[in-house]
Amino acid sequence: MVSFRASFETHPDLAAHEDLAQRLAVRLLDKGTRRRDRFAFAEALETKGATLAFTADEHRVGFAGRCLRADLPAVLDLAAEALREPLLDAAEASKVLTHLDAAYRHAEEDTAAQSDAALSRLIYPHGHPNRSEPFEQTRVALAALTPDDARRFHERHFRSGPLDLVLAGDVDGLDRADLLDRFGDRAAAPAPPDVPAPFEAVPSGIEVCVPGKTSYDVRLGHAVPLPRPHPDTLAFRVALFALGGNFSARLMQTVRDRDGLTYGISAALDGAGATYGGHALVRANFSPDVLGRGLDRVREEVQRLVDEGLSEDELATVQQTLAGTHVVGLSTSGGAAAAMVAALENGLGADWLTVYPQRLQALTTDGVNDVLRRYLRPAALAVACAGPFAV
Amino acid sequence: MELRPAASPHPAFVFEEDSGGVRAYRHRENGLQVLVLEQPSSPVATFMLTYRVGSRNEGLGLTGSTHFLEHLMFKGTERFHKDAGTSVFQALQRHGAQVNATTWLDRTNYYALLPAGEVETAMEIEADRMRGLRLADDAVTSEKTVILNELDRGENDPVRRLYHLVWATAFQAHPYGHPTIGWRSDVEAVTPAALRGFYDVFYWPDNATATVIGGVDEAEALALIDRHFGAIPKAPAPIPEVFTREPEQAGERRVLLRQEAQLGTVVLGWKAPPGLHDDADALAVLALLLTSGKASRLYRTLVDTALATYVGGSASRLRDPGLFTLYAGLAPGKTHAEVEDALRREVRRVAADGVADDELARARALVRAHDAYARDGAFAAASALNEAIACGDWRLFTTAEERLARIAPEDVQRVAQTYLLDDALTVGHHLPD
């Protein structure tokens, strides 16, 4: 079998809601092409047991899937056909808009989605790729979209930018040039837009009421000016892994295992892209009777990490853990394809999967703790809570 | 002529069977079953221990015990515990392992996916905590609030709550009627002594299957398993049987859930035979034809028409009779009656008109491809084997393609006529306030 993953840059104008036009266009790609209707398209895939899903984010459009090796040319033909010759039909657009509206209604009722989005608005201004506008506003913007918006976006953006295609699995002997040919000639990549700076990190808070819920999702975070290729980024990610990267990390060992305050809690550098930074993020869920105590314990652990830093043993454990995680992550064809595409999209280079273990092992305790203390500021953490208020 | 059994690569084990590349052994002394699937070029391996105990084995007042015990198993043993810096997670995750456990109706499984050279650590831990669990009172107290938070998180989701309600309404005698996480009051009231009792009844080698998949040598894996599990004795008493049988349902049942939300959900559940029943494969095909992919019948009639935003369903494959379920999320402006009618209309259409050959060909292609996908890496096959073990026969995983080849369109129509009857149906509606 073969797993495949591909993407190309589109850079929708976020301030003008072009990302919604892009989303509509992408959702329409498998809803009929000039060669076959939507059911024939689905049949062509499913009679092979193949999967093919089109994706979109704030910078790129892509597709991913898997199939038996013998079917790969035919499945990539379908992907190319959908990208190059979609019908973008008005009746289908109406249905897709109904489904998108429903998806945002569900998100409005989802405490995890609401807390993620609320924190993003405390950290990032309008037009930033990491900002999520209130879901009800997005629904209003969606309602104003027309099939022509999707057609215009497709016309302008789907043929520009080189297509990165990664194949993993049973790939020996495949003719790469032939596989890429079907996607046609592509123009140079569009220039990425300027990304507005995040807000100055100041402690702030927001509460989102989601009626009828029985627990709270909580997010704490602040902006960190570290794009993925920055030389300090790996050390910072390692430090946050020690805080909340897995069950053995500090937050799970204390707030869950010792104190019994939560089922799940984690920390990571989130949202960092190829050219702009992201934010330090702690995610947790608390039942109503322990929400205050839980938040206090999170703050204490973040402060303790900065005060104490990582010990030599702790860093060595994290290095060993992440080196093993790297091996495990690449052990499926889907995992390998995803890791390679992520490395390319994040500006880390095609050799990242090889150099990553070496960079990881080269980290020192002093170096990691220096980066940690330069970039993590417990007093500047913004807090977003979503649940059945009032607290 | 006397048939000689195939030789076992290790004297502590009897070779039982080879199917689809998976080789089965049983420990001569303690009855531990071992399944091995070698993937010689893989740099990783999965070690999984599946106990044949799930929420099916819980009595009144003890619901959630299996799941609670699963959590406590991570509190460790005298050798593997947090105070010594050798907790189960610390010992395994330091190698980059993906570690976890899950509890379901018929089984509990503990697994680690890790670099192949470290697989012995996972075996050592599972053997040690099979009989050596430290089950301290304060651990039960602190873990209780963790589980109650897990329960609260689940209750946030009305679809999950409705699904529980449909099973609880359909099963009034059999323990499949209570959720695996347990009823809240039982979780709050459970005692360390009750959990210790549960552990001492079910956590024995002859009630478990060890599965090893990945870049390991079979003989070496068996030697390691014997080294760590070999000295553990068999259960001192027979593992208790579950005798309860659900009485025949004699009429449609309906259940409503009111929970604040914007869009509702419909769940339909028909009584279905056990997973090893002769009709289980045809029902699985029927579920595929109805719900799998954008060419499926329910996608075409509900999602493509903007009546629903999603559809799904499955034929449960369990030890005892379960449910054949279909569900759909209402699109804005649509009613529960419209969506329920559409789901039931499609079911009646299969029963009346049958299915086409090309639909069956699509199902076969899906199963064939999924078999290949399950052998990509060292975890997917373990996950599939886990459910087959729980159902009662691990070969359900290895023989899926050949069994499906024997299913004819008439079989699919017949099982729709036999099982998807109004009198055997439980209907659930989530009504957003």
Side-chain angles (χ1 to χ4, degrees):
Chain A
M1 63 158 290
V2 177
S3 289
F4 53 86
R5 202 170 263 259
S7 73
F8 56 91
E9 294 178 52
T10 51
H11 298 302
D13 181 346
L14 301 175
H17 292 306
E18 263 197 346
D19 53 324
L20 296 181
Q22 173 179 273
R23 186 171 302 181
L24 176 59
V26 166
R27 289 284 292 265
L28 285 168
L29 291 177
D30 66 355
K31 299 291 188 293
T33 68
R34 285 183 212 149
R35 302 184 193 200
R36 63 192 101 204
D37 71 18
R38 60 197 185 281
F39 295 125
F41 193 92
E43 292 276 1
L45 281 170
E46 292 169 21
T47 52
K48 298 175 178 61
T51 64
L52 170 65
F54 293 95
T55 58
D57 66 17
E58 292 75 13
H59 311 288
R60 289 173 168 261
V61 164
F63 61 88
R66 58 186 180 177
C67 61
L68 302 179
R69 176 188 160 110
D71 296 325
L72 182 66
V75 172
L76 292 183
D77 278 343
L78 286 166
E81 181 182 316
L83 286 170
R84 301 177 73 181
E85 306 171 83
L87 278 183
L88 304 173
D89 174 68
E92 292 305 309
S94 172
K95 286 187 242 171
V96 167
L97 288 171
T98 299
H99 290 165
L100 287 172
D101 179 68
Y104 280 105
R105 288 174 191 257
H106 284 300
E108 284 178 41
E109 296 152 11
D110 181 342
T111 53
Q114 283 282 18
S115 56
D116 280 330
L119 182 72
S120 81
R121 294 194 292 275
L122 295 176
I123 297 176
Y124 301 106
H126 293 288
H128 194 287
N130 288 338
R131 181 180 171 101
S132 175
E133 301 297 347
F135 300 128
E136 56 271 32
Q137 285 184 22
T138 305
R139 288 206 291 119
V140 171
L142 270 176
L145 274 185
T146 68
D148 282 341
D149 294 319
R151 291 186 193 117
R152 273 193 296 272
F153 190 87
H154 180 267
E155 185 61 33
R156 286 184 199 154
H157 297 276
F158 272 51
R159 290 187 179 82
S160 59
L163 181 129
D164 293 326
L165 173 65
V166 174
L167 306 170
D170 186 10
V171 297
D172 284 351
L174 289 175
D175 184 341
R176 298 173 197 181
D178 174 63
L179 292 174
L180 270 173
D181 266 355
R182 66 204 70 214
F183 295 98
D185 296 330
R186 304 187 64 84
D194 292 335
V195 173
F199 298 131
E200 275 302 305
V202 291
S204 54
I206 187 168
E207 296 172 350
V208 182
C209 182
V210 189
K213 300 304 178 188
T214 49
S215 70
Y216 293 88
D217 266 290
V218 175
R219 307 290 181 262
L220 297 92
H222 68 67
V224 176
L226 290 175
R228 287 298 304 272
H230 191 284
D232 288 342
T233 300
L234 182 58
F236 191 69
R237 293 180 71 210
V238 162
L240 288 190
F241 192 92
L243 177 66
N246 64 5
F247 207 105
S248 306
R250 292 178 177 219
L251 288 171
M252 282 292 266
Q253 287 297 305
T254 55
V255 185
R256 170 171 162 156
D257 200 47
R258 185 190 65 198
D259 304 333
L261 294 175
T262 183
Y263 175 68
I265 186 165
S266 62
L269 174 64
D270 196 50
T275 58
Y276 54 88
H279 53 283
L281 173 67
V282 175
R283 308 176 97 224
N285 184 283
F286 295 113
S287 294
D289 55 335
V290 299
L291 176 61
R293 225 164 13 119
L295 276 168
D296 289 345
R297 293 294 301 114
V298 171
R299 289 182 183 285
E300 286 166 26
E301 285 303 318
V302 175
Q303 187 63 56
R304 188 168 71 87
L305 180 76
V306 173
D307 292 344
E308 295 176 355
L310 279 70
S311 68
E312 283 193 18
D313 283 351
E314 193 173 17
L315 176 61
T317 299
V318 171
Q319 286 170 310
Q320 189 183 356
T321 298
L322 291 176
T325 302
H326 187 62
V327 173
V328 169
L330 299 180
S331 66
T332 63
S333 61
M340 177 56 85
V341 164
L344 295 172
E345 291 179 359
N346 286 321
L348 296 167
D351 62 347
W352 177 249
L353 301 186
T354 309
V355 303
Y356 168 74
Q358 299 153 18
R359 300 255 178 96
L360 187 63
Q361 293 311 318
L363 295 174
T364 65
T365 311
D366 287 345
V368 169
N369 286 333
D370 174 59
V371 167
L372 167 67
R373 289 174 179 130
R374 268 193 286 139
Y375 293 103
L376 187 60
R377 291 178 287 160
L381 287 169
V383 183
C385 277
F389 280 89
V391 179
Chain B
M1 187 178 78
E2 184 180 318
L3 284 174
R4 294 178 60 194
S8 169
H10 192 280
F13 292 91
V14 177
F15 171 76
E16 289 190 328
E17 192 167 0
D18 181 338
S19 173
V22 179
R23 290 166 62 84
Y25 298 88
R26 193 167 297 275
H27 197 273
R28 294 177 192 276
E29 299 297 323
N30 63 25
L32 176 69
Q33 185 184 46
V34 177
L35 304 178
V36 184
L37 174 58
E38 289 179 304
Q39 296 173 329
S41 61
S42 175
V44 300
T46 292
F47 182 71
M48 175 177 72
L49 199 60
T50 306
Y51 289 98
R52 286 179 281 280
V53 56
S55 55
R56 169 181 180 271
N57 302 89
E58 297 164 348
L60 207 61
L62 286 172
T63 66
S65 295
T66 322
H67 173 256
F68 206 128
L69 192 57
E70 177 224 297
H71 276 237
L72 293 176
M73 288 286 279
F74 288 94
K75 298 293 185 184
T77 63
E78 289 303 321
R79 288 185 58 209
F80 296 99
H81 62 90
K82 192 172 77 169
D83 302 340
T86 58
S87 77
V88 172
F89 280 109
Q90 287 165 330
L92 289 169
Q93 288 185 327
R94 73 169 64 246
H95 300 299
Q98 289 177 13
V99 188
N100 215 332
T102 69
T103 306
W104 193 230
L105 303 170
D106 296 325
R107 52 77 183 161
T108 314
N109 71 316
Y110 300 84
Y111 63 84
L113 166 63
L114 70 181
E118 310 295 342
V119 73
E120 184 177 4
T121 306
M123 296 173 176
E124 195 176 357
I125 287 171
E126 293 309 342
D128 199 44
R129 65 178 170 172
M130 179 179 272
R131 295 301 326 141
L133 178 64
R134 289 202 318 179
L135 207 157
D137 289 4
D138 60 345
V140 173
T141 304
S142 69
E143 203 60 25
K144 195 171 280 186
T145 50
V146 170
I147 292 170
L148 288 172
N149 178 240
E150 183 182 1
L151 198 149
D152 282 340
R153 281 167 42 133
E155 295 284 289
N156 274 355
D157 178 2
V159 178
R160 183 186 170 101
R161 284 181 71 183
L162 182 64
Y163 189 80
H164 285 163
L165 279 175
V166 166
W167 279 76
T169 306
F171 291 94
Q172 301 182 341
H174 191 279
Y176 285 163
H178 68 260
T180 299
I181 198 167
W183 300 120
R184 171 177 276 277
S185 53
D186 289 351
V187 176
E188 287 171 342
V190 74
T191 64
L195 294 167
R196 165 64 71 179
F198 210 79
Y199 176 69
D200 285 341
V201 168
F202 292 105
Y203 277 60
W204 297 96
D206 43 333
N207 196 38
T209 298
T211 303
V212 192
I213 299 175
V216 292
D217 173 75
E218 183 177 62
E220 191 179 332
L222 290 172
L224 290 173
I225 290 171
D226 179 54
R227 180 186 303 164
H228 295 293
F229 288 87
I232 303 174
K234 280 185 171 184
I239 305 296
E241 294 287 323
V242 175
F243 295 111
T244 306
R245 292 287 173 263
E246 184 68 24
E248 186 175 338
Q249 186 171 331
E252 184 174 311
R253 299 173 186 168
R254 301 185 77 83
V255 59
L256 307 179
L257 166 68
R258 290 190 189 281
Q259 182 170 346
E260 287 192 62
Q262 297 191 48
L263 300 170
T265 309
V266 172
V267 175
L268 306 182
W270 288 267
K271 290 286 168 48
L276 296 184
H277 191 279
D278 286 345
D279 288 337
D281 285 326
L283 280 164
V285 169
L286 175 57
L288 278 177
L289 299 184
L290 287 173
T291 67
S292 183
K294 293 178 178 175
S296 67
R297 289 191 175 210
L298 293 182
Y299 187 93
R300 288 173 186 244
T301 52
L302 279 99
V303 179
D304 190 66
T305 58
L307 195 54
T309 56
Y310 60 86
V311 291
S314 65
S316 64
R317 292 204 90 136
L318 301 170
R319 282 280 293 275
D320 295 328
L323 288 182
F324 181 98
T325 50
L326 298 176
Y327 56 87
L330 272 60
K334 302 301 178 186
T335 66
H336 291 79
E338 288 174 286
V339 170
E340 181 186 331
D341 287 349
L343 288 168
R344 297 176 75 156
R345 196 164 48 244
E346 281 308 307
V347 167
R348 282 196 298 271
R349 204 157 68 87
V350 174
D353 305 333
V355 300
D357 286 337
D358 60 347
E359 287 181 285
L360 209 54
R362 188 171 66 88
R364 290 195 183 106
L366 283 170
V367 171
R368 187 167 54 250
H370 285 172
D371 186 63
Y373 303 155
R375 289 162 196 271
D376 180 26
F379 184 71
S383 185
L385 275 168
N386 186 45
E387 302 310 334
I389 293 164
C391 184
D393 187 346
W394 60 268
R395 295 168 304 178
L396 280 180
F397 166 63
T398 54
T399 59
E401 194 176 338
E402 66 188 66
R403 295 197 323 273
L404 193 55
R406 294 197 289 267
I407 301 290
E410 307 83 74
D411 297 317
V412 179
Q413 183 176 17
R414 179 180 52 76
V415 294
Q417 292 168 343
T418 305
Y419 296 100
L420 306 193
L421 306 171
D422 289 350
D423 281 352
L425 171 64
T426 300
V427 179
H429 287 182
H430 163 225
L431 307 171
D433 275 343

